[in-house]
Structure formats: C-alpha cells, structure tokens
C-alpha cells in the first residue's frame, strides 16, 4: 500500500530542517556564503533524491523585500548624480538582450528541439516566474521553462562566486550590514514599514517584481530624504540569503530523469552560452573604462535580481551600478518579450 503524502506543513518543516543542516555544514567547514549555498545545496540534493520538500510560500516572497530595502538604501544623491556616467554602459543592455535572443532562441529550437514558444521564453534572461507565465500564455511548456530558468539561476549563482574570487580577487567577505543592535530603532521601523508598504502597495498597482521593486522605491525615497542611512541589519540579510537558497533548491522537487536529460541539461548548456556573451560585454565595459571589473561582471551576469543583489553586497560591488543594469534588463525583457513574441506569431512560421 503506497505511503500517504506528507501534509504541506510537514513538507515545509522538512525543508527547514534540511536547509538548516546544509547551512550548519557549510558554516562548520568554512565554505563561502553558508546561508545561501548551504540551504541551496542541501535542498537541491534532497530534491534530486526524492525527498518531498516544499517552499516557504509567502515567507520567501517576504524575504525578498529585505533585498529591496537594501538596494533602496543604497540609492543616495551621490548615486543619482552618477547616472549620466552609467548611461553608455546601460545603453549596452538592450543590445546584450537582443544578442541573447538571437543566439538563444535557435539554440533551444534547433539544438534541443523545443517548440517555438518554449524556446523563445527559455532564451529570455528575465525573471523565472514572469517568463513561465508569459510562456504558458503563448502555449509553451511550463515545466520545461521552470526547470530551464531554475537551472540558469542555480548555475550562475554557483559559478559567479568562483569567478569573482579566482578572476577578480574578491574575498566575498564584505560586511553585509551592521548588527541589528547597532541600528536605531526608528530606522529599523522605517525599513520594516518600507518593506511592507512597498511590497503590498506594489502588488496592488500591479508592479512587476513588487516584493523587491516596491520596497526599493519606498526605501530610496526615505534614503534620499535623509531618513534612512543604512541597509537592513546583517541578520535580515542572512535570512534573505537562507530563503533564496531554499527557493533555488526546491525548484527541482519531482524532477524526472527525462527532465534531467533534456530540460535541466539544456538549461545548463545555455549557461555556457550566456557566460560567453556576458564575458564579452563585461570585458568591453571594463576595456572602455565604464566600470570596475567586479561591477561590470555582476551588472551583466544574467542571474536573478535577488541573487545578484546578494552577491553584489558580499563582493562589495557598486550596488547602485549593478542594480541599475539589472533593472534595465528586467524591465526591457518583461515589457518587450511579449511584444516581440506577438510580432513573431503574427509573422507566421517563417517569422
């Protein structure tokens, strides 16, 4: 007689235990970013061996608001004054996206045999959830899109720290924030309010990426007004890392051997393509003296916005520069991808 499935609360509890063990193991062995990579690796391995894990739902979404507040707190008058300096570099983002699309769509269509809608949205370097939703509306394969984008994020988040340390000499030991006890209660309250109001207010008006962009906008207003002077406490950033790591790992729950051999393999192979394209653009930016090497690398690394925010913080990168480029990429992909897809559909099979 088959064993009855675990209820949701038990699956969530199991996920928390597995992630906690992974965090402790990484911390005990001195591995980098234990609160991000510990839960990510533990949940990934557990998912692949068939443990019935489940994500934390709205708690994970709430964790992203912490990163939104961190980014918003870094938007100061000095950063805004530097926007004209970033213009040339930001202008490369739409070209970068166009090249990715021109290479990526045939890659998934002809090399891996995906249908047109799935190939198109698998190639676009946008947010996982947005690309899956758009892909479903266009008639694409939701499961394949989810696994391909989850694999993209997994591999980029895993490889980026290695490249940062080996190629750029980054120690990934930049202080992520002051301890909670060192921050004024008034600022803590303002940051908490900004996180909640920005998140829920953003959802109410239909803002894409509301859990990050909403808090970012509200906190930026507070920072520019001189009411907030620091990013969220270190403890909050660690919680956000923990939740992001769990989220990446649990995406692979229930994956089959067929999906590993096609969807996950295609996503992994595509990371090599993306890495080559990103390396060329970031090298050009550095050669033109538009940014430091670490900043250019993180600005054009086509990972998730939340994950790149975490890496930018621990690498001590120019957070304003990095996020300005990722926001441009996400906005262009989310607004432009459905439009281009519609044009291609109307053009027919030859288009």
């Amino acid at each position: 007689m088959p064993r009855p499935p675990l209820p949701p609360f038990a699956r969530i509890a199991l996920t928390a235990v597995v992630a906690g063990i992974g965090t402790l193991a990484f911390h005990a062995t001195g591995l980098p970013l234990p609160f991000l990579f510990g839960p990510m690796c533990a949940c990934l391995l557990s998912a692949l061996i068939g443990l019935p894990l489940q994500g934390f739902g709205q708690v994970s979404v709430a964790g992203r608001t912490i990163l939104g507040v961190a980014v918003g707190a870094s938007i100061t008058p000095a950063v805004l004054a530097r926007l004209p300096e970033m213009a040339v570099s930001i202008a490369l983002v739409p070209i970068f996206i166009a090249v990715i699309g021109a290479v990526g769509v045939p890659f998934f269509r002809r090399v891996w045999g995906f249908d047109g809608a799935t190939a198109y949205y698998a190639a676009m370097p946008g947010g996982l959830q947005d690309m899956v939703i758009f892909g479903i509306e266009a008639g694409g394969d939701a499961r394949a899109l989810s696994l391909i984008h989850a694999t993209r994020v997994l591999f980029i988040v895993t490889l980026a720290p290695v490249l940062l340390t080996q190629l750029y000499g980054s120690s990934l030991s930049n202080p992520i924030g002051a301890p909670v006890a060192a921050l004024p209660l008034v600022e803590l309250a303002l940051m908490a309010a900004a996180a909640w109001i920005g998140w829920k207010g953003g959802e109410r008006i239909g803002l894409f990426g509301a859990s990050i962009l909403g808090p970012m906008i509200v906190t930026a207003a507070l920072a520019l007004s001189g009411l907030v002077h620091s990013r969220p406490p270190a403890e909050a950033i660690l919680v956000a890392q923990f939740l992001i790591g769990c989220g990446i790992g649990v995406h692979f729950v229930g994956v089959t051997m067929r999906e590993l051999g096609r969807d996950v393999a295609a996503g992994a192979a595509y990371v090599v393509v993306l890495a080559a394209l990103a390396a060329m653009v970031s090298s050009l930016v550095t050669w033109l003296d538009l940014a430091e090497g670490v900043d250019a690398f993180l600005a054009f690394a086509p990972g998730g916005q939340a994950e790149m925010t975490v890496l930018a913080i621990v690498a001590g990168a120019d957070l304003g520069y990095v996020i300005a480029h990722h926001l441009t990429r996400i906005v262009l992909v989310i607004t432009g991808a459905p439009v281009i897809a519609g044009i291609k559909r109307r053009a027919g099979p030859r288009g």
Side-chain angles (χ1 to χ4, degrees):
M1 192 171 175
R3 182 180 300 175
L6 288 177
F9 74 87
R11 298 178 65 174
I12 292 171
L14 177 61
T15 303
V17 171
V18 167
I21 292 172
T23 304
L24 291 173
F26 267 62
H27 187 270
T29 52
L31 291 170
L33 300 175
F35 281 85
L36 176 65
F37 291 123
M40 184 184 80
C41 292
C43 290
L44 173 63
L45 293 174
S46 299
L48 292 178
I49 65 173
L51 288 186
L53 306 184
Q54 181 171 322
F56 301 125
Q58 288 296 294
V59 174
S60 291
V61 179
R64 291 173 174 262
T65 67
I66 298 168
L67 300 177
V69 171
V71 174
S74 71
I75 299 177
T76 62
V79 171
L80 293 183
R82 290 180 49 237
L83 284 177
E85 300 174 18
M86 303 180 194
V88 175
S89 180
I90 290 175
L92 294 174
V93 174
I95 301 172
F96 181 49
I97 294 170
V99 173
I100 286 175
V103 173
V105 175
F107 175 82
F108 284 109
R109 190 89 165 97
R110 297 172 186 171
V111 177
W112 291 93
F114 289 99
D115 62 88
T118 303
Y120 179 79
Y121 283 104
M124 290 296 103
L128 186 153
Q129 293 178 339
D130 299 305
M131 295 303 97
V132 172
I133 290 171
F134 291 155
I136 292 171
E137 292 176 350
D141 185 331
R143 177 66 173 170
L145 286 169
S146 179
L147 286 173
I148 288 168
H149 282 290
T151 302
R152 168 174 64 90
V153 172
L154 170 68
F155 274 73
I156 289 174
V157 168
T158 303
L159 293 174
V162 176
L163 297 175
L164 284 169
T165 54
Q166 298 302 314
L167 297 182
Y168 297 100
S170 176
S171 64
L172 301 182
S173 59
N174 187 65
I176 58 176
V180 64
L183 295 177
L185 288 177
V186 173
E187 285 202 30
L188 289 172
L190 285 173
M191 286 190 280
W196 180 261
I197 293 170
W199 174 23
K200 293 303 177 182
E203 285 185 338
R204 193 172 186 83
I205 64 173
L207 178 68
F208 68 89
S211 60
I212 292 181
L213 294 187
M216 184 196 77
I217 293 168
V218 176
T219 308
L222 294 173
L224 292 170
S225 302
L227 298 174
V228 169
H229 304 90
S230 59
R231 63 173 64 124
E235 295 87 346
I237 301 291
L238 291 176
V239 169
Q241 290 184 27
F242 181 85
L243 294 172
I244 288 170
C246 293
I248 294 173
V250 299
H251 267 298
F252 295 87
V253 169
V255 67
T256 65
M257 290 304 297
R258 178 185 177 279
E259 290 170 334
L260 277 174
R262 188 182 187 223
D263 302 341
V264 174
Y270 189 47
V271 168
V272 177
V273 176
L274 288 174
L277 296 175
M280 287 189 286
V281 177
S282 59
S283 297
L284 175 63
V285 169
T286 306
W287 182 71
L288 293 173
D289 202 24
L290 300 175
E292 297 293 329
V294 171
D295 299 336
F297 172 82
L298 288 170
F300 287 94
Q305 184 183 345
E307 294 80 14
M308 292 301 102
T309 299
V310 169
L311 291 177
I313 291 173
V314 298
D318 184 337
L319 196 55
Y321 177 87
V322 172
I323 297 305
H325 287 72
H326 280 285
L327 282 178
T328 303
R329 171 171 63 87
I330 297 298
V331 169
L332 289 175
V333 170
I334 288 177
T335 57
V339 174
I340 301 300
I343 294 173
K344 287 172 69 67
R345 279 199 303 274
R346 287 193 294 272
R350 290 180 62 84

